[in-house]
Amino acid sequence: MNILSKKINSLGFNKPPKDTKVVVAMSGGVDSSTVAGLMKKEGYKVFGVTLKLYDDAKVSKGSRQCCAGQDILDAKRVSQQLNIDHKILYYQKRFKKDVIDSFVDSYVAGETPIPCVQCNQTVKFRDLYSYAKENKVDALITGHYVKRIQKNDNAEMYRALDLVRDQSYFLFSTKQDQLNFLRFPLGELEKKETRLIATELKLNVADKADSQDICFVPNGDYASVIKKFKPESFKKGEILDLKGNIVGSHEGVINFTIGQRKGIGISHTEPLYVINIDAKKNQLVVGEKKALAIKKIYLKNLNILGKADLNKNNFFVKVRSTGRLIKAKVKLNKNDAEVELQEIETGISPGQACVFYKKNQLGDKVLGGGWITRTENAFLSTDLTA
């Protein structure tokens, strides 16, 4: 060991925790509360911030959502228990414009949006990041399950130790300067360890259930949200087979997603799935499961972390948050890309994210990703999403 090297704290700074100021994003759940507790226990100067993103009256009873009225109250109580400063930032208008409106427009266009990525990309890692920077703190801390490894002057992102909880898919759009400023203390822990720590810290949210619903989508009912903001989008239309024959009708394309089987309402010798949604023509295309198999994906609005080399071996992609890593090849074209899958995957929909990974000795490194605009089927000659 070099005797001239400085001892750094757990967040990687060359100064003691008591001289290190951090903002902890506190959602009111067990993860972010535990992070705040850990930072306080280690002696950091901790400032808790909770985002109010929508009106409490819009939260349905019994739904397990994040950032709801009860969560804000829980965050406040944990802050009081830990004796740390706490502030609520009122971001309802920003959240409505950047997340809810984007979600509605995407669904009406026949896509399958991911509002959690949009939330991280805008109000959390853009606006909250700016707030933390303005307050001259050393780091923004969150309770996300993702690993951050410092390498030279830049940080790298890896999948979390707990792959069931890993949230790297939702953070692919994080910019390099944001990643350098962020810290994720739970990346090396399993969820059960987090709850154990919360219990040891005697936090009153230690046994609180995890949020499951999208915060502004009560009980997972997407159609009700679309109906509220754009009721005119519920239009009766045609259902076609893969040859273009009319085989039925629907009550609105926003009731369907790519890969859906239930609710189509057409009898057939084999189970039928939604293969494509043409929002402009207000049509659904249905077919057998093999028609969902995808070989190529086209992306837009890329975000590349660091000097990512996407053309070597051990390159993989993930096309849904709960999906597997799929071996692939990528061709970059300025701000878009073509991804050729080396393994067949089904049910990939425009509007979803395609996240890039590379395996190395440290784990599964996140290289960035982009938004899916269209796909090509592995067995059909027709590009249904063109």
Side-chain angles (χ1 to χ4, degrees), residues 112-122 124-125 144-146 157-159 163-175 178 182 184 211-214 222 303 305 318-323 351-357 366 368-369 371:
T112 304
I114 314 172
C116 292
V117 176
Q118 295 283 6
C119 185
N120 288 325
Q121 187 174 344
T122 56
K124 288 183 180 176
F125 289 174
H144 288 99
Y145 284 85
V146 62
M157 186 189 301
Y158 286 79
R159 286 213 290 174
L163 293 181
V164 175
R165 298 287 175 177
D166 172 62
Q167 293 170 293
S168 60
Y169 179 85
F170 297 109
L171 302 184
F172 85 90
S173 59
T174 305
K175 305 300 182 183
Q178 295 170 342
L182 287 158
F184 310 104
S211 59
Q212 292 185 336
D213 300 326
I214 296 172
Y222 299 148
N303 179 56
L305 285 169
K318 198 175 184 183
V319 293
R320 56 177 59 87
S321 62
T322 57
Q352 294 177 324
C354 176
V355 181
F356 306 152
Y357 295 85
V366 181
W371 296 98

Side-chain angles (χ1 to χ4, degrees), residues 11 22-26 29-42 44 46 78 82 84 140-145 183-187 189 194 197-198 201 203:
L11 298 179
V22 299
V23 163
V24 177
M26 300 180 67
V30 63
D31 296 327
S32 61
S33 297
T34 301
V35 166
L38 283 172
M39 295 297 98
K40 175 67 175 182
K41 183 178 180 182
E42 291 182 25
Y44 291 97
V46 183
V78 168
L82 295 173
I84 62 174
L140 172 59
I141 317 292
T142 81
H144 288 99
Y145 284 85
R183 299 294 188 276
F184 310 104
L186 303 185
L189 299 180
T194 301
I197 293 171
L201 293 172
L203 300 180

